[in-house]
Amino acid sequence: MVAPSETQSAPPAPPGRSRRFPWWAGAAAGLAALLLLFTLAVRADVIPDLDGLFGEETHDRSGPALLESIRDMSRYEGASGNFQVVVDLEKDTKYLPDSIRGTRTLYIGTGSVSAYVDLGSLGERSVVVDEERTEATLRLPHARLGKPALDADRSHAVSKQRGLLNRLGDLFSDNPNDERAVNRLAVRHIAEAAEESELAERAEKNTTAMLRGLLTSLGFEKVTVRYGERG
């Protein structure tokens, strides 16, 4: 006859002794309590925030600027225009989707273009004065447009989309070529917009008003300014 198997039950816990938690649970609870106290102290301005506690410091160790050349200016800037252009530059690769290799940059370029009249090329026959010195005729070249100057503080990239291979390449390069590409496009579009505007005509009008006011103050009664003629 087989005797029934006996099971042994665990001895009861001694009275007055609670079950112990693992050590890591206590450490986690303590860390959470410290973070909570730190957050409350920051919000209550008891201690400085993270930006003030671990803020970055900027040190300018650039060398002094060196003067390379000086050029005398002999032109009158009669007008200046401010322009803004949205550059959408996309580069694709054959046989590969854009998610693998390809870039697209949306860039806002803001810059200015000045229009001027070159007074340094005037010859002896460019200014004709009558015998009584009451009338003067000036023959000036047409106004020209200067090179666009981008405003670095107001020009910025809105979005940049890059494929996987391009992102991997960014780990080893800051892609200065892409930045120069959008800058060149912005400058070109701003120059085209200035050509289509009335900036040059405004510069000639303002130059005429300036010369008439100057010569009238010198005693001339009639001042005629013509553009497109060289003496």
Side-chain angles (χ1 to χ4, degrees), residues 53-98:
L53 187 60
F54 302 102
E56 296 181 353
E57 295 183 358
T58 302
H59 302 279
D60 186 4
R61 296 187 174 89
S62 305
L66 301 178
L67 177 63
E68 294 185 350
S69 63
I70 296 179
R71 183 178 59 181
D72 295 333
M73 305 299 294
S74 58
R75 63 188 189 185
Y76 178 74
E77 185 176 312
S80 179
N82 297 321
F83 299 86
Q84 187 177 82
V85 60
V86 178
V87 178
D88 189 353
L89 178 60
E90 183 176 4
K91 295 182 180 180
D92 298 327
T93 304
K94 292 183 178 180
Y95 312 115
L96 287 178
D98 295 341

